[in-house]
Amino acid sequence: MQRFDPPICGYEAAIHQATHQQGNLWLEHSNINWSQLQSGFSCALHMHQPTVPAGPDGAFISHLQYMAEHPGEGDNHNAEPFAQCYRRLADLLPQQIAEGCNPRMMLDYSGNLLWGVGQMGRSDISGALNFLATDALMQRHIEWLGTFWSHAVAPSTPIPDLHLQISAWQHQFFDLFGADALARVKGFSLPEMHLPNHPDTLYALIEALLESGYRWLLVQEHSVEQPDGTALTGGQKYGPNRLVARNSQGEELSITALIKTQGSDTKLVGQMQPYYEALSLGRQSFGQQQLPSLVAQIADGENGGVMMNEFPAAFEQANRRQRDDSPNTAAINGSEYLEWVEASGLEPADYPAIQAVGQARLFEQLGDARGADAVSAAITAVKAGDSHFAMEGASWTNSISWVEGYSNVLEPMKQLSAQFHRRFGELNSSSPSYHQALLHVLLLETSCFRYWGQGIWTDYAQAIFARGEALMGLDAAA
């Protein structure tokens, strides 16, 4: 079979086999004293650099490469500090382990970044990531989280492309680190922490995650609610929940969710606040079980002075303090925690049910009606009484809309996606034309083209759209 670059399709059967292995994959490596544990802290680092058409003759390159080649523009002088952030855990963790600490970290790297590191020939970074993904000892300390390949925001991504984004990332990871490493990727991190709240989009997302072998999802506290529309209780924020999706036809699916609590993400992780918060927590009741409370947080792993400069020392200090002073609190990764919870006798069906924020009001308006038209009518009715009500989902921040003012990106996204599925939906994913068309569809959905406002970033999106449309037109005419 032909190998494509980037490796985003063509190995679906091998990936399905790797991602659908049964049984515990983390608990057998765990060295935590669960019997004395009262609380835990779980931190994740999110890493991303978009792909931009800014190389020679408009070639696709990593934005990290663009930064390195244009150091005088904006904050581009941070290119090398960013690059070191992408690899430094391969140094930090072995040092901590040698000191008798028991560190943990979850990693979320976009497919763009993983591809871009290889494009740049940065073997120092790729070698460090290979160590973190495949070394036998690191299996105890590092958990990789799946994500969308090109950092798309789920609520405004065309529904048929949710699965494509998930699968493309799995292809990239499989190509770099192998089947065994991919088999251990059971948690999922949404770009921008952007959880859909439209019933059909959320249902499609969870369906795609389950079909792709994922067992749990990290969600932002204020992006979810209890079934009656109230906020999560204090206890719910520190334990497993069951995120339920009900589509417009009344069908339901659910997936386990861990809660990222609110706050300034970068500072909280950069200064290891989850450890210090966990010190104040104890076990809590889940049915007949007493479970250690878990404080979960995620932050950009490179952005800002705190993460670039303060995080390493704070990480080392927190793990040393845990080693010396707090044996009842431990660093725990998400899958490790959930496997222990299930081994203790609980099942995902036992977890408290939650749903996407705003759905209680929508379902109350919807009543017993079914169908996409009925849902649309219910949304319109709720909005008529509350102009702030929205079905755009909720992300890490409520100050940014990924929809308003971006019709010049969103409409091309929809058009290119529709053309792709009309033209290539039935073709074998191992064909070169399918691969190139898919690449342009995925790249156009990158959130960065709708984060920095109008200008060069929306121009990048327009260029990707034009190329993708031309590619599909040429293929159709061939």
Side-chain angles (χ1 to χ4, degrees), residues 44-96:
L45 298 179
H46 165 63
M47 310 286 197
H48 170 60
Q49 286 290 340
T51 302
V52 292
D57 298 321
F60 288 135
I61 61 171
S62 172
H63 185 249
L64 182 65
Q65 179 177 337
Y66 183 88
M67 291 174 67
E69 294 174 351
H70 301 81
E73 297 181 12
D75 294 330
N76 287 359
H77 58 275
N78 285 323
E80 189 55 33
F82 278 16
Q84 292 306 313
C85 289
Y86 299 140
R87 64 162 307 282
R88 65 187 176 187
L89 278 180
D91 298 325
L92 285 173
L93 262 72
Q95 176 186 327
Q96 290 267 282

Side-chain angles (χ1 to χ4, degrees), residues 148 154-168 200-201 203-205 207-208 211-212 413-414 416-422 425 434 438 441-442 445:
F148 290 153
S156 51
T157 297
I159 286 178
D161 299 344
L162 297 173
H163 180 79
L164 295 177
Q165 287 279 357
I166 293 168
S167 176
D200 288 331
T201 308
Y203 184 94
L205 171 65
E207 183 177 44
E211 289 177 350
S212 300
M413 273 174 49
K414 294 175 184 176
L416 196 64
S417 173
Q419 290 180 46
F420 171 82
H421 290 286
R422 281 197 303 268
Y434 179 99
L438 174 62
V441 168
L442 298 179
E445 294 166 355

Side-chain angles (χ1 to χ4, degrees), residues 109-284:
Y109 280 58
S110 72
N112 301 78
L113 178 56
L114 293 174
W115 181 35
V117 165
Q119 285 180 298
M120 295 174 68
R122 289 296 300 257
S123 59
D124 59 324
I125 302 176
S126 58
L129 299 185
N130 184 73
F131 169 72
L132 294 173
T134 64
D135 180 79
L137 179 58
M138 289 301 103
Q139 293 178 27
R140 176 182 293 165
H141 301 278
I142 288 289
E143 176 172 10
W144 288 82
L145 302 177
T147 189
F148 290 153
W149 186 82
S150 69
H151 207 265
V153 283
S156 51
T157 297
I159 286 178
D161 299 344
L162 297 173
H163 180 79
L164 295 177
Q165 287 279 357
I166 293 168
S167 176
W169 185 91
Q170 290 178 323
H171 273 78
Q172 185 84 57
F173 194 86
F174 172 84
D175 181 78
L176 288 172
F177 308 127
D180 289 344
L182 180 59
R184 295 191 293 273
V185 182
K186 293 302 178 186
F188 194 86
S189 175
L190 285 164
E192 310 293 357
M193 296 300 293
H194 206 175
L195 183 73
N197 61 351
H198 187 286
D200 288 331
T201 308
L202 180 61
Y203 184 94
L205 171 65
I206 293 181
E207 183 177 44
L209 290 173
L210 295 173
E211 289 177 350
S212 300
Y214 288 101
R215 296 179 183 173
W216 64 275
L217 177 67
L218 186 65
V219 300
Q220 179 94 13
E221 177 186 347
H222 70 252
S223 71
V224 291
E225 64 187 15
Q226 297 195 77
D228 63 1
T230 58
L232 271 58
T233 66
Q236 279 182 282
K237 294 187 293 185
Y238 302 115
N241 289 269
R242 182 168 53 91
L243 177 62
V244 180
R246 188 176 90 200
N247 67 12
S248 58
Q249 302 302 320
E251 302 167 312
E252 289 191 358
L253 284 174
S254 64
I255 192 170
T256 298
L258 292 178
I259 309 300
K260 173 206 170 298
T261 54
Q262 294 186 56
S264 177
D265 308 353
T266 301
K267 290 183 179 179
L268 289 178
V269 176
Q271 298 170 356
M272 292 302 290
Q273 181 273 348
Y275 163 64
Y276 300 99
E277 182 178 358
L279 291 176
S280 66
L281 301 174
R283 291 200 169 207
Q284 57 177 314

Side-chain angles (χ1 to χ4, degrees), residues 318-453:
N319 282 294
R320 289 167 184 155
R321 288 188 175 184
Q322 188 278 324
R323 175 196 63 194
D324 297 336
D325 303 327
S326 49
N328 297 329
T329 297
I332 313 172
N333 283 332
S335 291
E336 181 182 25
Y337 176 76
L338 291 171
E339 286 187 2
W340 180 83
V341 168
E342 292 184 23
S344 71
L346 287 177
E347 296 293 336
D350 300 321
Y351 304 156
I354 59 175
Q355 61 194 20
V357 69
Q359 289 195 338
R361 295 178 65 188
L362 175 63
F363 291 145
E364 181 181 15
Q365 179 68 40
L366 184 65
D368 295 328
R370 294 289 183 267
D373 290 344
V375 168
S376 294
I379 292 171
T380 300
V382 178
K383 283 183 176 180
D386 181 358
S387 61
H388 297 291
F389 182 79
M391 282 280 113
E392 296 176 13
S395 68
W396 61 271
T397 175
N398 286 327
S399 64
I400 294 174
S401 173
W402 306 98
V403 177
E404 293 179 9
Y406 287 110
S407 61
N408 60 333
V409 177
L410 289 169
E411 287 307 314
M413 273 174 49
K414 294 175 184 176
Q415 291 177 36
L416 196 64
S417 173
Q419 290 180 46
F420 171 82
H421 290 286
R422 281 197 303 268
R423 181 69 188 92
F424 297 99
E426 301 302 321
L427 287 185
N428 191 308
S429 65
S430 62
S431 71
S433 55
Y434 179 99
H435 170 265
Q436 279 300 301
L438 174 62
L439 176 61
H440 286 75
V441 168
L442 298 179
L443 288 177
L444 186 54
E445 294 166 355
T446 304
S447 72
C448 304
F449 303 139
R450 288 176 284 145
Y451 182 83
W452 300 106

